Amino acid sequence: MTATPASPVLTPLADGLVLREARPEDLDQIGALLAERGEPADALDHRLVVKDPDAGWSACAVVVDGDRVVSTATLLDEDVRIGGIHLPAGQVELVATDREYEGRGLVRALMRWAHDRSAARGHVIQAMIGIPYFYRLFGYEYAIDIPPALTVHTAPPGDGEPALRAARSSDIPAMAALQETAQNRFDVAMPHSEARRRWLLAHEASNLWVVERGGAVVATGRTTPPADEVLLAEAAALDEASARELLRGVAASAPDSRMRVVHRAGTVTAAAWQEFLVHEPPTQAEQYYVRVPDVAALLDRLRPLLWHRLTTAGQDRTGRDIVISTFGAHYRIPVRADGLGRVVTGAAMQGPGAVGGVAVAPDHLPALVFGSHGIEGLTRIRPDVYARDEELFQALFPPVTADLLTYYLPY
């Protein structure tokens, strides 16, 4: 995609503040603000984004008081796959506000800028990691489970030095291929973009590793810097032997640290590491946020997937409409002999059961589409999610598995 301005060059705010696209001369101030309010490495991460031709300065906005940068946010392009459908998506990152300027609605203004820019980029959803509750104020809802990080009780045995080394730029194609194979096991996946693979090699908040066998990269993973604890995430391997070598190598690189690994259910690494991990149930729910700005636009993009689910389940609904109500509005999808027709948006509908439809409160719609409960699970825990025609909507909205790769690790 090419960068598309989504808002005026200058947006006046209260007290003489101005929101605008970031400029090269803002770089040092933005970096200092991010380092002060977040982590020192955030300044480098921001620099990698704005200086990359695939993102650039148009990906970042600032609020300025005269020449002083007092708040900032960055919007990244993402691609979310569900089934065989690719959904253009956005993710807001690197958000910070000067302490003196908190409580003035600057983040709200920057989120409005990000959502406008996201729409101009053609994104149909936004996904993000965020502090608890806060981003629900901007239309985000918890939807996709973050996988657990399990404790390693012992490293795999092996002889000699592990075949682990730091990743290089020449390894990017092999690492991407391993990640694609791992993510193909999930119903919903968000890979690293090409640009972000380059950024991750250069940034300081995590390290990329590979295992080599016979001159070929056969496993990869991403770790946090050695400290009291090391986290191994985004692990992908060609086979169980290379997965065990990856775990052995990371453990050997930080022998005095407690170690946890992110569990990617159903993958090669999950199978290879099972005996080395402490399998404890999670003590707290952890989820990614998802925002759906236009329900009809999302449903339109999903029509081929919904049609596939309908026909696979043997549901012949030709000549009837699929009706989905979010109470304040409803959406009709005509069922034809050769596929689903375009979504038609209608007025408020309080009782969709009367027409064989499904009711889902708008704040539960992201979880219905992208979450692990599906319609059957949500109806058990949410009174404002229900379907009269259970067989139909269980076919259309089953539980799904998900694997998201993000700039920052959500742990």
Side-chain angles (χ1 to χ4, degrees):
M1 292 183 178
T2 56
T4 304
S7 58
V9 175
L10 301 176
T11 302
L13 304 177
D15 303 320
L17 305 182
V18 172
L19 187 154
R20 60 167 171 78
E21 189 175 288
R23 302 167 182 166
E25 58 267 28
D26 300 323
L27 183 63
D28 290 342
Q29 285 198 67
I30 295 172
L33 179 59
L34 291 170
E36 179 190 353
R37 299 311 313 271
E39 300 291 336
D42 292 351
L44 172 59
D45 293 340
H46 173 264
R47 184 184 299 267
L48 291 169
V49 172
V50 296
K51 287 185 171 291
D52 192 292
D54 285 353
W57 284 100
S58 64
C60 178
V62 293
V63 176
V64 294
D65 186 354
D67 294 329
R68 180 183 178 186
V69 172
V70 298
S71 192
T72 186
T74 296
L75 179 76
L76 305 178
D77 289 318
E78 304 290 357
D79 176 78
V80 174
R81 173 189 58 75
I82 177 167
I85 305 298
H86 289 264
L87 302 175
Q91 181 173 194
V92 181
E93 278 288 7
L94 297 164
V95 181
T97 298
D98 189 300
R99 285 185 176 84
E100 294 181 28
Y101 290 79
E102 289 183 330
R104 301 195 195 182
L106 304 189
V107 172
R108 182 173 295 279
L110 285 164
M111 293 300 291
R112 187 163 50 246
W113 165 85
H115 294 155
D116 287 347
R117 184 178 191 274
S118 192
R121 301 283 286 175
H123 302 160
V124 294
I125 62 170
Q126 290 90 32
M128 71 180 302
I129 306 164
I131 58 177
Y133 177 70
F134 181 69
Y135 288 95
R136 294 178 70 180
L137 299 172
F138 309 113
Y140 290 80
E141 297 298 339
Y142 290 111
I144 300 174
D145 292 343
I146 294 173
L150 305 180
T151 300
V152 178
H153 63 73
T154 186
D159 298 323
E161 289 293 320
L164 182 79
R165 63 166 173 81
R168 301 186 288 255
S169 58
S170 58
D171 299 320
I172 287 178
M175 291 190 294
L178 287 168
Q179 293 295 357
E180 182 177 4
T181 299
Q183 290 200 306
N184 282 341
R185 299 172 181 267
F186 295 89
D187 302 308
V188 177
M190 188 174 83
H192 288 309
S193 65
E194 255 185 74
R196 190 157 64 230
R197 294 188 189 109
R198 298 192 294 269
W199 307 340
L200 289 176
L201 279 174
H203 89 158
E204 299 170 348
S206 62
N207 304 304
L208 295 180
W209 302 93
V210 297
V211 171
E212 258 189 334
R213 181 196 298 153
V217 171
V218 293
T220 184
R222 180 181 175 190
T223 64
T224 54
D228 293 337
E229 177 182 278
V230 171
L231 176 74
L232 171 57
E234 300 180 6
L238 182 67
D239 50 36
E240 292 194 14
S242 55
R244 286 191 289 271
E245 187 70 354
L246 173 66
L247 185 60
R248 184 171 83 94
V250 172
S253 71
D256 299 324
S257 300
R258 175 174 176 260
M259 186 173 173
R260 292 190 302 154
V261 297
V262 175
H263 180 65
R264 301 175 87 179
T267 63
V268 171
T269 55
W273 296 347
Q274 186 170 359
E275 64 184 292
F276 308 109
L277 307 181
V278 179
H279 295 272
E280 296 176 333
T283 58
Q284 183 176 345
E286 298 286 353
Q287 293 183 314
Y288 295 99
Y289 283 114
V290 174
R291 177 177 180 266
V292 178
D294 186 330
V295 175
L298 174 61
L299 292 175
D300 254 333
R301 296 294 287 257
L302 295 178
R303 283 185 296 142
L305 175 62
L306 298 177
W307 173 249
H308 173 74
R309 289 173 175 173
L310 194 67
T311 55
T312 300
Q315 294 270 338
D316 184 3
R317 304 282 170 153
T318 304
R320 298 169 61 182
D321 290 346
I322 297 168
V323 178
I324 301 168
S325 171
T326 55
F327 296 102
H330 76 279
Y331 307 90
R332 290 182 178 270
I333 311 176
V335 182
R336 300 169 180 163
D338 59 349
L340 301 182
R342 292 195 67 84
V343 177
V344 178
T345 302
M349 179 181 284
Q350 188 66 32
V355 292
V358 63
V360 52
D363 47 340
H364 303 319
L365 184 69
L368 177 68
V369 176
F370 301 104
S372 60
H373 289 293
I375 183 67
E376 186 176 9
L378 285 176
T379 57
R380 289 198 298 267
I381 60 176
R382 301 298 183 195
D384 48 7
V385 179
Y386 58 88
R388 178 71 59 85
D389 192 336
E390 294 181 358
E391 185 179 9
L392 169 63
F393 288 102
Q394 286 174 13
L396 290 174
F397 298 109
V400 295
T401 59
D403 187 74
L404 275 61
L405 303 184
T406 52
Y407 201 3
Y408 295 100
L409 296 171
Y411 300 92

